[in-house]
Amino acid sequence: MADLQNDPPAESIAVGDLDDVAPPRRDPSTEPADPTAAGPAAGGPAAGGPAAGGPAAGSPAARSLERARELLAAHPIADGCSGLGLALREIPSYDIEDGERMLETDIPRLRDGGVGAQFWSLHVRGEPTGDRAVTATLEQLDLVRALVAECPDGLRLALSAGDLADARNCGRIAALLGPVAGPALGDSLATLRAYHALGVRSVTLAGTRWTQRTGLTPFGQEVVREMNRLGVLVDLSGCTLETMRRALVVAKAPVVISHHPEPVPDDVLRQLRANCGVCMVACTGTSIRETADRLDHVRETAGPQSVALTGAYDTGSPHAPGLADVSCFPRLIAELLDRDWPQSDIEALTWTNVSRVLRDAEFVSRAIQARRPPSTARPTPQDG
């Protein structure tokens, strides 16, 4: 298991008004990639060959698929939300190292699908609140960390953008902890800080008493500021539109929308573009073409620097036949290549945008910590 002390040390930064702080733009895709990282086996059902109903050898579709696999070997997918941790709690036994067909995810299929990183959702069933939500989330967190430790040849815990790149270059699939559901914070900034110390790097704001139809309450705004101070990504999935709009005004670091159930409105996508955040499009359309259409729209509205992918596998969400499990990502990338997406935009979609958001959040965190201590704000009656 990775050591929690491996987070990069805070840099001493002279910081003025954070409104003037512009995170540095780094392109992780220029870092050397290990040639053994997540390359698919040729042929076979998992690789999308003829036995799996794939395109005939030598056809234009087959050439697009092969080009997609070559691209993913160097620029793998950073998947914005996986439900694998929760799914594992609901089956009696499993073997994700050698293959587990009761699930939509296992390590062989992650490699076949060109996946280099995943956010492991820590949401729990039943939407518990209060102490029950905190306990259930900690149990889920413990399971995920234990599983990653049990699979050192396939998985590696990632606590930073640097860890993400290190895992890729060593041929491992990076496991990022989060998002945690907002109610699991228990209206406590101290609980948020404890989650961060345990490795959590993403929290959704939805479902709390401080995210309302009219937007964020004062305490909700303080939660966003504290997440920015810690370097925890603000995830707006499931939030009301007013909450999204207000959070995008308050946030100093880029935010993410990892698994929103409905298309994100264009005005929010434009705000997201200004925030340098990322909207992750779920592979839950009725077809590969429909999912690609959604990606086209987000890219056109928010810009190629603000779009990424969420498999939403093992979450209970339906998937199109062509995107039935994590091994199918190359088919979606082949569709985008057929739509003449530039390679640079696909590299941003699969890896660079997510890595950049993590780096920017870390930069903003160091800048804030250089100028102010942890917040001790508590919920007040008007926040309820």
Side-chain angles (χ1 to χ4, degrees), residues 36-364:
T36 64
S59 67
R63 289 195 294 272
S64 293
L65 189 59
E66 180 59 27
R67 185 181 167 201
R69 294 189 187 286
E70 291 172 356
L71 194 154
L72 290 176
H75 305 279
I77 287 169
D79 181 356
C81 183
S82 168
L84 180 60
L86 185 57
L88 292 177
R89 300 184 67 172
E90 299 175 347
I91 60 177
S93 63
Y94 49 82
D95 183 356
I96 70 164
E97 286 191 287
D98 292 330
E100 182 52 71
R101 292 296 165 174
M102 293 180 66
L103 303 167
E104 295 168 341
T105 306
D106 54 39
I107 291 174
R109 282 181 287 170
L110 285 168
R111 294 194 182 283
D112 284 345
V115 177
Q118 282 190 307
F119 280 87
W120 286 49
S121 173
L122 299 174
H123 283 229
V124 296
R125 303 261 191 242
E127 300 182 358
T129 58
D131 291 345
R132 289 180 59 244
V134 176
T135 299
T137 301
L138 288 173
E139 290 174 348
Q140 184 77 359
L141 176 59
D142 181 68
L143 182 150
V144 170
R145 291 191 62 124
L147 180 66
V148 172
E150 291 168 3
C151 302
D153 294 334
L155 303 175
R156 178 174 291 190
L157 188 66
L159 305 178
S160 67
D163 290 346
L164 204 69
D166 288 345
R168 182 193 67 181
N169 294 336
C170 292
R172 306 297 189 271
I173 299 158
L176 297 117
L177 301 177
V180 160
L185 300 185
D187 295 334
S188 167
L189 296 180
T191 303
L192 170 61
R193 289 191 283 271
Y195 282 133
H196 175 263
L198 291 170
V200 170
R201 293 299 179 262
S202 176
V203 174
T204 52
L205 304 186
T208 65
R209 68 191 186 106
W210 31 270
T211 55
Q212 303 174 347
R213 187 164 297 278
T214 55
L216 285 172
T217 66
F219 179 71
Q221 296 177 44
E222 193 62 31
V223 170
V224 170
R225 295 187 185 101
E226 185 65 3
M227 290 174 69
N228 287 170
R229 191 191 72 83
L230 293 170
V232 175
L233 296 181
V234 175
D235 190 339
L236 301 181
S237 303
C239 289
T240 66
L241 298 185
E242 287 305 316
T243 295
M244 287 185 178
R245 291 168 181 141
R246 184 57 188 162
L248 282 162
V249 170
V250 174
K252 302 296 185 183
V255 308
V256 298
I257 304 174
S258 71
H259 58 285
H260 196 62
E262 300 173 352
V264 178
D266 287 359
D267 71 300
V268 174
L269 289 176
R270 286 189 286 270
Q271 261 191 289
L272 193 70
R273 182 175 196 157
N275 168 262
C276 297
V278 170
C279 178
M280 301 173 177
V281 176
C283 298
T284 54
T286 58
S287 65
I288 291 176
R289 180 169 295 180
E290 181 181 324
T291 301
D293 288 344
R294 294 175 182 176
L295 288 166
D296 279 340
H297 180 75
V298 174
R299 182 180 68 134
E300 292 166 3
T301 307
Q305 77 286 349
S306 291
V307 60
L309 282 170
T310 281
Y313 291 110
D314 294 298
T315 62
S317 299
H319 292 80
L323 293 173
D325 60 48
V326 293
S327 70
C328 299
F329 277 118
R331 299 176 182 176
L332 178 58
I333 301 305
E335 172 70 18
L336 299 180
L337 289 169
D338 288 342
R339 295 182 181 213
D340 296 325
W341 274 47
Q343 180 170 325
S344 60
D345 285 6
I346 294 179
E347 292 171 4
L349 169 78
T350 59
W351 183 266
T352 306
N353 288 343
V354 172
S355 182
R356 187 259 308 160
V357 164
L358 286 167
R359 288 192 185 278
D360 287 359
E362 292 163 15
F363 174 87
V364 172

